[in-house]
Amino acid sequence: MSSRYLIPLAVAAALAAPVAAHAQDEGTYDPGKWLVRVGMSQLNPDSYNLDLGNAGALVVDSDLSPTFTVEYMITPHIGTELLLAWPFTHGIDLDSGSRPLDRVGQVDVLPPTLSLNWHFNPNGMVRPYIGAGVNYTMFSGEETRGALAGTDFTLDDTIAAAGQVGVDIGQRNWFFNANVRYIDLSADIDLGGDDLGSVDLNPWVYGIHVGYRFGHM
């Protein structure tokens, strides 16, 4: 090949190599990369949580709170993720057949969740994933009011199974994230020294986050 062709080809190769490497890096969840996501999530318990017989039923409402996840990539497809949150504050209502519901208390909920995620398309612009793991929910700040004012109640911390589906969108270090989680959560409740049984919360958690990817290049 003539030398007059070698010089343009060498220049083209030199210019193309960084572009190709940059594009590949931007779209790859290489082992050792960290994915940090910050945003808001809404925690939505079941509609009816505890049947009280003739007295009615306890209903726990939903709440919105800041959430934060950090995920470490083991392989381009597999990552371990920890979900943390500012405590959700849930009102507790008594449904005795009247409308509106009677507010009888509130509780703070902190649901850290550790998941193992599978990313289907780690090199793409749109990267869906599924995950499964374990949740440890902590309850605090229990208060009563209205018909239950002055009565002590507690909810026991509990361990539960959790699953999620989500998607990351964007090939650069910054990206958009949306996810939906389900937590198979029931907790024992004590009211005025009496064990009322198990409150079935089983919440769906809907999250929207902004993410950033970093790590070795």
Side-chain angles (χ1 to χ4, degrees):
M1 181 181 292
S2 172
S3 61
R4 66 173 178 167
Y5 296 111
L6 291 177
I7 294 175
L9 286 174
V11 172
L15 292 175
V19 173
H22 183 61
Q24 182 182 30
D25 175 69
E26 286 183 343
T28 302
Y29 285 169
D30 293 330
K33 292 290 177 66
W34 293 86
L35 312 177
V36 176
R37 307 176 181 95
V38 179
M40 300 291 292
S41 295
Q42 185 178 45
L43 196 153
N44 297 268
D46 278 348
S47 297
Y48 286 87
N49 311 111
L50 180 63
D51 186 356
L52 299 176
N54 294 332
L58 288 182
V59 180
V60 180
D61 68 7
S62 62
D63 189 39
L64 186 70
S65 188
T67 47
F68 167 86
T69 72
V70 57
E71 182 172 6
Y72 177 78
M73 299 307 299
I74 301 171
T75 76
H77 290 280
I78 300 174
T80 58
E81 179 198 54
L82 178 64
L83 165 70
L84 299 173
W86 188 260
F88 296 87
T89 300
H90 296 274
I92 301 174
D93 300 321
L94 177 64
D95 184 358
S96 56
S98 62
R99 291 293 186 271
L101 302 180
D102 300 320
R103 180 58 53 89
V104 294
Q106 71 177 39
V107 62
D108 294 334
V109 177
L110 190 61
T113 304
L114 183 64
S115 300
L116 187 68
N117 295 336
W118 175 268
H119 296 261
F120 289 96
N121 186 31
N123 294 327
M125 172 70 75
V126 178
R127 302 182 296 281
Y129 61 90
I130 60 173
V134 61
N135 162 268
Y136 181 70
T137 294
M138 294 171 280
F139 300 95
S140 63
E142 294 97 329
E143 297 179 4
T144 55
R145 64 184 69 170
L148 296 181
T151 305
D152 292 332
F153 91 97
T154 58
L155 283 162
D156 292 343
D157 297 349
T158 187
I159 297 175
Q164 70 166 326
V165 295
V167 61
D168 294 327
I169 302 174
Q171 282 189 300
R172 298 185 181 276
N173 286 336
W174 290 99
F175 58 90
F176 170 81
N177 169 266
N179 66 78
V180 179
R181 300 173 188 269
Y182 177 77
I183 303 174
D184 187 19
L185 176 61
S186 296
D188 293 335
I189 182 171
D190 183 278
L191 181 64
D194 296 325
D195 184 1
L196 294 185
S198 183
V199 178
D200 295 324
L201 297 175
N202 302 327
W204 289 92
V205 186
Y206 305 98
I208 294 179
H209 302 85
V210 173
Y212 186 79
R213 176 181 64 99
F214 66 94
H216 67 78
M217 299 299 180

